[in-house]
Amino acid sequence: MFKARTPSTLHPRPCSLNNPVAWTSSNTVPPGLQIPAWSPALSLQAMDQNSISTAILSVSAPALTIIQDKAESVILARELNCYAASLRDQHPTRFGFLATLPSLSDLDACLAEIEHAFDRLGADGITLLTSYNGRYLGHPDFSPLWAELEKRNAVVFVHPAQGPIPALTEPAMPGPIIDFPHETTRAALSMIIGDVMRHHHQVKIILSHAGGTLPYMATRIAYQAGGSPFLRNRSADDFINEAKQFYFDLALSAFEDPFDLLRRFAPRGHITYGSDFPFAKPDSIKRQADFVRAVTKELDRSTEEGGGGNAEGWEIRRGNALRLFPRLAKAVKWEEDRAIDGIAHASVVGTAQATVKG
């Protein structure tokens, strides 16, 4: 299903990924995850209602992991990417897209799809899930993938999915709400100890949902495990520095307490807006967009009153996302202060980024 962020991520769901039977029979969908309705018209409507000017489409969890046949996964990845590119071409200032890859168990097919998505379709980046078949993103098997993305200075959006740890079946603890943030943190830790962050500085990796629990857990991990074989002998400071190389969107996290924590943790320039449409409830999207608009406008006023230069609030609303996505920056005027800059998380069988007008 495609998702949208701001430059919001939207998650679209074309083809067989919209089939509830395929979802439930795949055994890859965590309990509590439902398929919301999505279409380009619904995305644009939600964007207009929340003053989101631009969204970057991507396929959300469980993405193509529900497709067991490798050949079918390759075909569907190509169809999804061509479909997303066509939406971008129809609405060049309103949609971008992050390419979907086939099964990561077939790296040759993934590398071929990366080449097609970037060189033929002009993708703005790619989407990866936090783990595949029990392997998190720092696993050595994925080294060729990261090497190719490094060569391309690629943007990678990481979305959580059901991990190798068995999901709880307690109805009061739905996996997408409770477990997904921890899966994001596990994937981030895997990328750090797997040397992805150390050796691939040209890849810009966006963690969804304010980085899961990473901003809260980073010091616990660093000062309990720093210097140990667990962190591959990294010092506490080394671990923290690598954790701060990630970018973070605000999907489902644009509330006062998590925003304040993330702003203290993330370096300036590393936070973008996210909506999580259509998985997020409409009233939640509105409340968070209003919060981001208000708090970042206040940051802008503080910068101006202090005699500062570029306004930090504008960067979070729009500027940081435009720096991440240069094609979008060309399509949308920088000086146009109409949007909450950032990546908004919306769902279509994928993820979309968007900018919110402010």
Side-chain angles (χ1 to χ4, degrees):
M1 138 169 283
F2 276 119
K3 252 183 162 176
R5 306 187 107 68
T6 302
S8 172
T9 31
L10 293 161
H11 300 309
R13 294 178 293 103
C15 312
S16 60
L17 293 185
N18 279 335
N19 185 342
V21 175
W23 270 45
T24 55
S25 63
S26 70
N27 295 318
T28 61
V29 181
L33 186 61
Q34 302 297 321
I35 307 179
W38 182 89
S39 70
L42 287 174
S43 285
L44 291 168
Q45 180 183 50
M47 291 162 63
D48 290 341
Q49 289 172 343
N50 293 283
S51 296
I52 295 174
S53 65
T54 308
I56 296 181
L57 304 171
S58 75
V59 173
S60 184
L64 297 187
T65 61
I66 68 172
I67 308 299
Q68 301 302 314
D69 183 89
K70 288 185 179 180
E72 184 182 355
S73 175
V74 170
I75 293 170
L76 186 53
R78 180 64 54 87
E79 290 179 352
L80 285 165
N81 293 331
C82 290
Y83 172 66
S86 72
L87 293 180
R88 184 272 320 276
D89 292 343
Q90 293 171 48
H91 308 278
T93 63
R94 305 225 65 188
F95 287 140
F97 82 98
L98 303 173
T100 298
L101 299 185
S103 170
L104 262 65
S105 61
D106 187 349
L107 277 183
D108 288 340
C110 288
L111 295 175
E113 190 58 33
I114 287 173
E115 179 180 11
H116 184 268
F118 281 107
D119 297 344
R120 300 289 297 276
L121 300 179
D124 294 297
I126 70 164
T127 300
L128 294 176
L129 300 181
T130 43
S131 66
Y132 296 85
N133 297 322
R135 298 169 296 171
Y136 288 97
L137 293 177
H139 194 283
D141 288 353
F142 301 141
S143 295
L145 176 70
W146 290 112
E148 179 64 21
L149 296 171
E150 172 79 4
K151 288 193 299 184
R152 292 179 174 276
N153 299 338
V155 174
V156 176
F157 175 68
V158 176
H159 192 282
Q162 181 60 51
I165 298 175
L168 295 174
T169 56
E170 169 58 52
M173 302 181 191
I177 296 177
I178 305 299
D179 294 335
F180 273 18
H182 302 299
E183 285 301 303
T184 300
T185 302
R186 292 185 181 104
L189 179 59
S190 173
M191 287 185 278
I192 292 172
I193 63 177
D195 289 336
V196 172
M197 308 310 292
R198 179 171 286 180
H199 297 319
H200 300 295
H201 293 170
Q202 299 307 311
V203 182
K204 297 177 178 61
I205 302 173
I206 305 167
L207 300 180
S208 59
H209 313 129
T213 58
L214 182 65
Y216 175 77
M217 293 286 294
T219 51
R220 174 188 173 98
I221 298 169
Y223 290 101
Q224 284 297 104
S228 73
F230 175 71
L231 291 185
R232 308 284 173 88
N233 299 315
R234 286 172 173 78
S235 69
D237 287 344
D238 288 341
F239 176 82
I240 294 294
N241 288 336
E242 290 187 46
K244 291 187 176 186
Q245 291 177 28
F246 292 108
Y247 290 75
F248 306 86
D249 84 7
L250 290 170
L252 298 178
S253 306
F255 301 98
E256 183 175 0
D257 290 338
F259 177 81
D260 288 347
L261 172 61
L262 180 60
R263 186 166 166 256
R264 289 195 300 271
F265 178 79
R268 182 165 171 175
H270 283 234
I271 300 175
T272 68
Y273 168 74
S275 71
D276 218 312
F277 174 85
F279 284 110
K281 295 179 179 179
D283 58 343
S284 178
I285 294 175
K286 182 181 186 305
R287 178 172 179 172
Q288 292 179 74
D290 290 345
F291 169 81
V292 171
R293 185 176 295 106
V295 73
T296 58
K297 290 290 187 180
E298 182 59 35
L299 285 175
D300 288 345
R301 282 191 289 272
S302 298
T303 303
E304 293 170 1
E305 291 170 1
N310 292 333
E312 181 184 0
W314 178 86
E315 292 176 353
I316 294 172
R317 290 196 310 276
R318 187 181 189 81
N320 295 336
L322 293 179
R323 293 186 186 100
L324 283 169
F325 302 108
R327 183 205 64 81
L328 193 59
K330 294 177 181 177
V332 183
K333 293 181 180 179
W334 277 75
E335 295 80 8
E336 197 173 288
D337 188 24
R338 295 182 307 160
I340 286 184
D341 308 307
I343 292 177
H345 192 79
S347 303
V348 201
V349 173
T351 301
Q353 322 290 326
T355 55
V356 180
K357 304 170 187 174

